[in-house]
Amino acid sequence: MNHAEHTDLMHAVLDGAATPAESKDLEGLLAADPAAFARSLADGFVATILKPPRGTRIAGFKEIRYLTPDLGEQLEFMAMAFAPAVFIFNTRGINEVSRSAWWQDVDKDALTADVARFDAITDAFAATHPGSCVKVDYARWTT
């Protein structure tokens, strides 16, 4: 089995769409607890990458890969794995975004569509996780 086949099968198993016969190459996966595994990955990330000092009550990281096709799934994973997490979505108007150095050479119509998609996904995520999401307008805290 190649990587793509393993990935597709793993998703099917975790979604309950694969039968035990189809998952013989991934024995043990059917008995796994996906939420516990996700939390163990997050715990490892915190312990080995973030390394907050002993006694730290609040720690976090900045995620900038927000234009990926699976953004909603990534947010749901982080909500489960890093529970209880608070998500702070830093938003900007399209004119401000298009003037920033990072985006200034990107087609404005494509960028407008990307920003609108990001806003729609994060708005939907915030609606389903109202107690753990904050949207902040970049212009309000930088001026």
Side-chain angles (χ1 to χ4, degrees):
M1 244 183 179
N2 65 35
H3 173 74
E5 292 169 325
H6 272 135
T7 301
D8 291 344
L9 180 56
M10 183 178 67
H11 282 283
V13 169
L14 294 175
D15 292 339
T19 66
E22 292 172 312
S23 61
K24 68 177 184 267
D25 291 330
L26 298 176
E27 278 187 39
L29 187 59
L30 289 175
D33 177 349
F37 181 63
R39 286 188 298 275
S40 73
L41 291 174
D43 290 345
F45 175 79
V46 171
T48 60
I49 305 296
L50 289 182
K51 298 180 183 178
R54 183 176 297 258
T56 299
R57 294 181 56 221
I58 298 173
F61 60 94
K62 176 182 176 182
E63 175 58 66
I64 61 169
R65 294 175 298 152
Y66 53 84
L67 295 178
T68 60
D70 58 351
L71 175 60
E73 292 174 6
Q74 289 177 9
L75 292 171
E76 289 297 341
F77 173 82
M78 287 189 283
M80 174 185 56
F82 291 102
V86 173
F87 294 82
I88 302 170
F89 297 111
N90 188 24
T91 63
R92 294 176 93 176
I94 189 61
N95 290 328
E96 291 82 13
V97 172
S98 65
R99 283 193 303 264
S100 72
W102 183 263
W103 298 108
Q104 66 187 5
D105 296 328
V106 175
D107 176 74
K108 191 168 181 180
D109 290 337
L111 184 58
T112 299
D114 286 341
V115 170
R117 182 179 158 275
F118 172 80
D119 287 342
I121 291 170
T122 56
D123 286 346
F125 182 79
T128 59
H129 301 277
S132 60
C133 294
V134 177
K135 285 198 113 174
V136 177
D137 180 358
Y138 179 81
R140 292 190 68 197
W141 66 270
T142 58
T143 55

